[in-house]
Amino acid sequence: MGENINQDIKKLPLDRILIRNGCYYNKEKSSKNYKAVKNDNENKVIISQTKSGNYLYFNKTANNN
């Protein structure tokens, strides 16, 4: 059962979830290969989808502490 949950998590459309929760697409940074999403605090997430349908997410916000 745990493996099925992990597979399902990889297919979550995080960009749509973030958009519904106050983020918006950064059209200047998005391309046909990936989407860039950010919020008003400039927290950024880069989203791409593999050929197998899994999503990859990268948090562009660096912690300088």
Side-chain angles (χ1 to χ4, degrees), residues 20-33:
R20 290 182 184 152
N21 287 285
C23 293
Y24 48 92
Y25 290 110
N26 184 347
K27 294 179 182 180
E28 296 170 358
K29 299 292 182 180
S30 295
S31 74
K32 72 175 191 170
N33 295 323

Side-chain angles (χ1 to χ4, degrees), residues 3-4 9 11 16-17 19 23-24 27 30 32 37 40 48 50-51 55 62 64:
E3 187 172 321
N4 288 340
I9 288 171
K11 297 198 183 293
R16 287 183 256 160
I17 294 168
I19 296 298
C23 293
Y24 48 92
K27 294 179 182 180
S30 295
K32 72 175 191 170
V37 177
D40 290 333
S48 65
T50 64
K51 291 180 182 180
Y55 286 93
N64 294 326

